[in-house]
DNA sequence: CGCTAAGATGACAACGTTGTCAAACGGTGT
DNA sequence: ACACCGTTTGACAACGTTGTCATCTTAGCG
């Protein structure tokens, strides 16, 4: 390992026998550089281990090389998957990934966003629920012409990168799975109705019921709020309202944990007496006992792609494709084998 | 809100009738500026809403204004508390907070660290377990004279900022609490022995037993690994080895969840038949049912202070105080009221 | 009251890139 | 061979700060 003093664009230019501007062009994928020189410069740069200085780039180009994820979601597992996906993509391109929790004021995230933008420059923004549903936030971002991506099951925007899974179809398929395992009396535990994801998962649930020709009265909906506690509470209500239910679809894993704990505490065996499936494939789906069958969405991949496309957009200054749908997978575990 | 074109140091200098260098001095808390001028400049800057351009500062000063947290801990709740504390402190000082998961190679984080440092400049580093225990990593950081902070119960370094709680004392006090609630037959579920924190918490457990003059045979140690599953498993062993235990201290909340779930599944009531206390006060301590009595450490505050002190160190170029101990608190909930 | 040294201030050159614009090049049609 | 035009290349001035060093103040002292 050599004591390499800091390399600059000039060192590369000299070694390659071109001007610094040409080197700059190569590193910015700018047009109008002969392929031969491009290769030459890249070769020299690779040999010497050159990397452009971020600060100088920022200063000269008035770009920040920062991609920010604005969120307000207590699910830290979800957040860190997003962060990891962003970080990977950013690191590949010499960008910085930053995550910022927005604190709502009077029900809107607008002020918190403005506070942030006043202090830091940002080249691109990633929004996830519930921030992605705040129209005031989107308006501010669009007015500033900041490229942005929505990782969200909500409304799609023409002028944004939309990354999503088909929530309804996912709800449908995991319900189909429950039915295929022989369950004829089913329950759905909803999340917060304000979240589009919960509503769409539920729609999938009812579609599956419908298609399987299970009588509507054999299916029941219990209101939850995504919390473990609400899953726990749902169990009591379930025992009163529909004691012969054997298959439960919880709109997220936390509620699945809640209902399983409640079931065990009341002498029910899982999955023998009660089968439970969750959604998100979060770490406790693996860590609980019994482990939980869950629908996995590739959050990391989704964040990675969002970030990549965002950076492309920043460079190209124009957005081409705007919708990216990801597919999901049912991870079969003990709670519904 | 005015359409403020970008303010530079020159605008402030002109408005205040001083040179740009003086403005620069003021913003860097440099010595040798008359108090009167300092106030004048700060006043003008506040009125106009000026903030120094980070990139230009980075370029000119060869500092990066980035503080990185290197970690490899699957506990995302813990990580996001650290990140939040860092973020707050950084944002106050115009720094960037960055979190980087290090992937070990051949048991060491050294290579991953070097890969990172090759790509990005960093002004300060925060390490938490298990990275903070990697001597090769610390050696590399010290050789580069990068200020660093250890949020860790492990060995204290003279040449670093050490932020920690007294783990042994914390283990002692929560065990004291169990004993005060009348429990005379106790169990400790350990975490990974490679983690100093687990060993120290256990030491506190035994000290409490000792001081309370509880016969050693009435206390038992069960080996866990911090996972929910290991807590679950511990229950079976406990029932065989020491069925009359009524008070359990799990070295973290996850294992507390595991043992509670197992207990409920076996018809035991918590806390009536079995009282359980955890450690960390993580989100499920609140979300589980029953909610879990747990020992809380102020992770957010610890990260905030680490970052502040790190930034002070960067500016002063010298480290004064090196040890910062934080106090803990027992959060009483249903699992051991 | 002048002298000195320490403290306060400023002029100007870095820092390492990108933007701008002019110049050189190379291919085409006459 | 020449004029023309698009493509490629480069010289040099930004970008907004901080570092260096010279100069101007001021307080203290004989």
């Amino acid at each position: 390992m050599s004591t390499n003093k800091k390399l600059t664009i000039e060192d590369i230019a000299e070694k390659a026998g071109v001007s610094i501007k040409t080197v700059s062009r190569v590193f910015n994928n700018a047009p109008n550089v002969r392929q031969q020189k491009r290769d030459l410069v890249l070769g020299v740069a690779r040999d010497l281990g050159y990397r452009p200085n971020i600060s100088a780039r920022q200063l000269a180009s008035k770009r920040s090389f920062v991609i920010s994820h604005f969120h307000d979601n207590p699910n830290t597992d979800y957040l860190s998957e997003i962060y990891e996906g962003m970080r990977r993509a950013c690191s590949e391109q010499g960008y910085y990934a930053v995550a910022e929790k927005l604190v709502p004021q009077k029900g809107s995230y607008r002020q918190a966003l403005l506070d942030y933008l006043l202090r830091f420059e940002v080249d691109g923004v990633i929004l996830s629920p519930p921030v992605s549903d705040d129209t005031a936030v989107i308006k501010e971002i669009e007015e500033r012409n900041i490229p942005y991506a929505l990782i969200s099951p909500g409304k799609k925007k023409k002028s944004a990168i939309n990354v999503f899974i088909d929530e309804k179809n996912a709800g449908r398929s995991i319900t189909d799975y429950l039915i295929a395992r022989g369950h004829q009396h089913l329950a759905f535990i909803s999340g917060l109705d304000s979240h589009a994801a919960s509503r769409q998962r539920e729609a999938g649930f009812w579609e599956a019921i419908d298609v399987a020709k299970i009588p509507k009265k054999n299916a029941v909906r219990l209101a939850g709020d995504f919390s473990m506690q609400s899953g726990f509470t749902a169990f009591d209500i379930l025992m009163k309202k529909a004691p012969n239910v054997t298959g439960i679809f919880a709109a997220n894993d936390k509620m699945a944990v809640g209902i399983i704990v409640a079931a065990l505490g009341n002498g029910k065996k899982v999955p023998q007496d009660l089968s439970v499936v969750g959604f998100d494939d979060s770490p406790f789906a693996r860590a609980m006992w019994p482990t939980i069958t869950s629908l996995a969405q590739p959050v990391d991949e989704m964040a990675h792609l969002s970030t990549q496309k965002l950076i492309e957009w920043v460079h190209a200054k124009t957005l081409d494709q705007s919708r990216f749908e990801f597919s999901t997978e049912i991870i079969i575990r003990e709670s519904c084998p």
Side-chain angles (χ1 to χ4, degrees), chain A:
Chain A
M1 189 149 292
S2 59
T3 17
N4 46 354
K5 60 169 197 172
K6 210 161 286 178
L7 285 170
T8 76
I9 201 170
E10 290 197 60
D11 299 318
I12 309 304
E14 192 181 348
K15 197 98 174 184
V18 300
S19 74
I20 59 169
K21 185 67 225 198
T22 299
V23 178
S24 169
R25 288 201 178 89
V26 170
F27 273 89
N28 288 282
N29 277 310
N32 301 341
V33 178
R34 232 181 287 276
Q35 189 59 43
Q36 166 203 356
K37 291 215 167 174
R38 200 179 285 276
D39 296 340
L40 173 63
V41 168
L42 284 175
V44 172
R46 192 171 330 104
D47 291 349
L48 272 57
Y50 166 75
R51 300 195 136 259
N53 177 297
I54 294 191
S55 313
R57 268 154 84 105
Q58 292 176 329
L59 184 58
S61 68
K62 302 180 176 179
R63 285 193 277 139
S64 68
F65 293 88
V66 167
I67 304 286
S68 271
H69 173 213
F70 294 116
H71 61 83
D72 177 29
N73 191 313
N75 186 341
T76 58
D77 292 317
Y78 177 72
L79 293 180
S80 57
E81 273 201 76
I82 291 198
Y83 188 79
E84 179 59 20
M86 285 175 66
R87 203 198 50 68
R88 266 173 44 229
C90 282
S91 146
E92 289 159 7
Q93 310 278 339
Y95 273 63
Y96 286 110
V98 169
E100 181 82 8
K101 184 184 178 71
L102 257 35
V103 178
Q105 288 171 32
K106 296 180 191 160
S108 171
Y109 295 100
R110 181 172 164 277
Q111 193 54 49
L113 175 85
L114 294 179
D115 287 349
Y116 184 87
L117 293 182
L118 191 68
R119 305 166 62 94
F120 295 104
E121 300 282 307
V122 176
D123 277 354
V125 165
I126 294 181
L127 303 178
S128 60
V131 180
S132 55
D133 300 328
D134 189 321
T135 50
V137 160
I138 294 194
K139 183 156 163 281
E140 293 291 345
I141 292 175
E142 289 196 336
E143 272 174 9
R144 287 172 173 68
N145 280 310
I146 302 175
Y148 68 105
L150 302 171
I151 303 184
S152 159
K155 281 215 188 68
K156 309 296 176 273
K157 304 280 293 183
K158 267 267 162 46
S159 51
I161 293 167
N162 300 271
V163 175
F164 55 93
I165 61 167
D166 184 335
E167 301 274 351
K168 180 178 170 192
N169 198 46
R172 162 80 192 269
S173 71
I174 197 152
T175 311
D176 282 346
Y177 175 72
L178 270 175
I179 294 170
R181 305 305 299 147
H183 298 283
Q184 288 287 318
H185 292 261
L186 303 170
F188 174 77
I189 309 180
S190 77
L192 288 169
D193 276 332
S194 56
H195 284 47
S198 175
R199 296 196 306 270
Q200 295 173 19
R201 289 168 199 177
E202 179 168 4
F205 172 80
W206 290 111
E207 185 179 279
I209 298 287
D210 204 40
V211 169
K213 300 208 164 57
I214 292 177
K216 280 275 191 307
K217 66 175 175 55
N218 290 356
V220 59
R221 169 197 206 276
L222 302 167
D225 61 7
F226 287 132
S227 75
M228 220 180 261
Q229 177 71 58
S230 72
F232 191 86
T233 311
F235 181 80
D236 287 338
I237 302 175
L238 183 69
M239 288 301 101
K240 285 199 195 104
K241 264 175 99 169
N244 48 359
V245 159
T246 59
I248 299 178
F249 168 21
N252 75 351
D253 287 338
K254 270 194 197 159
M255 296 193 295
V257 170
I259 204 153
I260 288 174
V261 171
L264 295 177
N266 282 271
K268 293 255 185 186
K269 301 270 177 231
V270 177
Q272 295 83 343
D273 303 332
L274 212 56
S275 288
V276 179
V277 299
F279 205 106
D280 286 344
D281 188 34
S282 43
F284 14 79
R286 263 180 300 274
M288 260 301 283
W289 189 94
T291 54
I292 301 173
T293 295
S294 187
L295 191 135
Q297 50 176 317
V299 176
D300 176 301
E301 290 304 322
M302 291 165 79
H304 186 253
L305 186 85
S306 306
T307 310
Q308 271 186 334
K309 291 294 167 188
L310 216 41
I311 293 176
E312 278 176 27
W313 182 358
V314 171
H315 286 115
K317 290 182 180 161
T318 156
L319 170 65
D320 50 341
Q321 200 187 344
S322 128
R323 297 168 61 100
F324 301 90
E325 182 173 334
F326 278 74
S327 59
T328 59
E329 194 186 350
I330 296 176
I331 310 292
I332 298 173
R333 298 206 183 81
E334 298 162 355
S335 72
C336 182

